[in-house]
Amino acid sequence: MTGRLTVRPDTIDIDQLRAAFSTGSTEVNGIVGLDGTTPTALTFTATADTHCPYTRKFLPDTAVAVLDGLEVTGDYRLADARLLVRPEPQAGQAALELDAKVNLVDTNLRLGVPVTNLRGTLDARVRQYPDQAQPLMSFDLRAQELRASDRRIAPLTVTLGNTDQDPDHLRFDPMLGGVYGGVLVGAGSIPLDADGSYRFDLTLSDVAVDPFLKPQINDPTHPGSPTVLTSAGRFAPDAPNAERTTVFGQASDAGSTVGDGLSFSAMERDVSTGLLSASLAVEATLADAAARRGRGALLITDARLINKPLSTALLRASNLSLPSGAPLNSASARYLVEGDTVRFDELSLDGPSLTIAGAGTMMIPSTELNLVMVSRNTKAPRLGPVSDLLDMFNDELLAIRVTGTLESPRTGVTTLRGFQRGWQSVFGGSGATMSPADNLVE
């Protein structure tokens, strides 16, 4: 430890006090009040990890509780930090003020899903007023990149903060990010206590299908990719297949910069793999992920689904072959989230001449499947009620049961129950409407 301390009757003056310890280093300047009336005013810098006991001493207890509740880990660099403590604040003055710029380095946290490799800056502002249970906090995050469940988001910008009206939640609206050439938009809230509930409303638009579904294989920036690209080895915006996109309302070449030099997309969007759009609204407590509940929808268009594990397995199980040039090129789903279960009310894979549709469940994160699917030749001539009756008989006698995982599905032919309900669904009468629960294997 080096620096100068000057002890006076009412204060301690600190001049370039530098200290190094096992979890980092820090430098502090300023004045510490000792008489109960003189304010403490400090400026400091630090390089440490999130579990450093020394730098955590400068944070309000609520901020420490948020870090612990989100399971935040990783290194950070604290710059331009200012702490002001007033023992006797005047009317309208805060008893505590903290302002800091934090550079995040490979930060990890858990927010319903694992968030890893977060790199960027966080501008923090904290104000604690007398007789206030929770401090007012605002955090402006500008991430150059991060991974959520292994999917790369680059960049991401969001401002979180609580208010006098709702001091117990950090709310954000909007959150904006780039995901494999598409756009992520979100809103929601994070609780300031471990027993509170978080809420997210997320929308993905026009995301490249292949790297999103299989980032370990089709995202060359993924650490597990066979051909890893560093940030310096990103696709160049003037590559032969570069696509002109619109970013936050302004035209931009893929891979170019937006705002404070942040690259909106580190990869060109390969539209030949198809585009994915999805929505998800989910709510859960930080302490119990099994209690999460949500709903969402998914749409894939202009895709090459014929070579995907699930669609290939379904075609083999139904003993079907597609005409040349007529692949499965779109998919859609509506689903509910119940703890670790995703329950598909509607699931469909479509092509010009074939539809494979059904319902069932998928477990997360294992992607274990339990689906029941039926197929339709959409090019076959329709004979009104006769065709409907034939389709109903086919569904009652033959369906495809899908188990295994999304990456390694297993299929088999099975029978469905509910002949009477199927008959009524064609000719009407009592019980004509079938619920998803009817589509169950005996």
Side-chain angles (χ1 to χ4, degrees), residues 249-271:
Q250 56 185 300
S252 172
D253 288 320
S256 63
T257 59
V258 177
D260 300 331
L262 294 178
S263 170
F264 181 73
S265 175
M267 294 180 60
E268 298 164 12
R269 181 170 58 188
D270 183 359
V271 296

Side-chain angles (χ1 to χ4, degrees), residues 79 99-103 121-125 138-142 158-160:
D99 297 277
K101 180 182 290 291
V102 186
N103 293 315
T121 61
L122 180 70
D123 289 330
R125 183 179 187 273
S138 176
F139 302 98
D140 185 12
L141 174 65
R142 298 191 62 82
V158 61
T159 297
L160 306 94

Side-chain angles (χ1 to χ4, degrees), residues 226-408:
T227 55
V228 178
L229 288 181
T230 64
S231 58
R234 296 172 177 171
F235 288 107
D238 58 351
N241 296 320
E243 179 185 278
R244 188 79 169 171
T245 61
T246 300
V247 179
F248 300 160
Q250 56 185 300
S252 172
D253 288 320
S256 63
T257 59
V258 177
D260 300 331
L262 294 178
S263 170
F264 181 73
S265 175
M267 294 180 60
E268 298 164 12
R269 181 170 58 188
D270 183 359
V271 296
S272 68
T273 71
L275 298 178
L276 179 149
S277 297
S279 63
L280 172 64
V282 65
E283 184 172 352
T285 61
L286 288 175
D288 185 11
R292 60 188 160 198
R293 296 291 183 268
R295 68 185 185 280
L298 179 145
L299 177 65
I300 297 175
T301 58
D302 301 323
R304 296 176 181 176
L305 301 179
I306 189 63
N307 294 322
K308 306 301 180 188
L310 179 58
S311 57
T312 300
L314 287 170
L315 289 172
R316 289 174 179 170
S318 57
N319 197 27
L320 292 171
S321 60
L322 290 175
S324 176
L328 292 171
N329 55 15
S330 65
S332 62
R334 292 187 179 276
Y335 57 89
L336 300 175
V337 178
E338 300 172 353
D340 293 334
T341 302
V342 178
R343 192 175 304 279
F344 294 101
D345 289 336
E346 301 174 15
L347 177 62
S348 176
L349 294 92
D350 301 286
S353 60
L354 177 67
T355 292
I356 301 176
T361 63
M362 180 179 73
M363 304 301 295
I364 50 177
S366 66
T367 72
E368 181 180 350
L369 300 171
N370 184 12
L371 305 174
V372 176
M373 312 289 287
V374 295
S375 60
R376 288 281 181 274
N377 183 351
T378 57
K379 287 295 186 180
R382 303 302 296 173
L383 303 175
V386 175
S387 293
D388 295 337
L389 181 60
L390 291 175
D391 288 343
M392 181 271 293
F393 278 125
N394 179 64
D395 292 349
E396 294 295 332
L397 297 175
L398 182 65
I400 305 165
R401 175 71 175 271
V402 185
T403 58
T405 66
L406 192 61
E407 185 62 30
S408 302

Side-chain angles (χ1 to χ4, degrees), residues 6 23 27 32 51 65-66 117 148 170 190 236 238 274 299 308 313 344:
T6 303
T23 53
E27 178 180 327
V32 177
H51 292 291
V66 171
N117 305 117
L170 295 176
I190 302 170
D238 58 351
L299 177 65
K308 306 301 180 188
F344 294 101

Side-chain angles (χ1 to χ4, degrees), residues 129 157 177 202 214 226 360:
Y129 290 90
T157 62
L202 305 175
K214 292 184 180 180

Side-chain angles (χ1 to χ4, degrees), residues 155-185:
L156 181 134
T157 62
V158 61
T159 297
L160 306 94
N162 62 346
T163 64
D164 289 326
Q165 293 72 31
D166 185 9
D168 296 325
H169 292 84
L170 295 176
R171 297 188 177 274
F172 60 94
D173 186 7
M175 173 176 66
L176 297 174
V179 185
Y180 300 124
V183 177
L184 169 67
V185 180

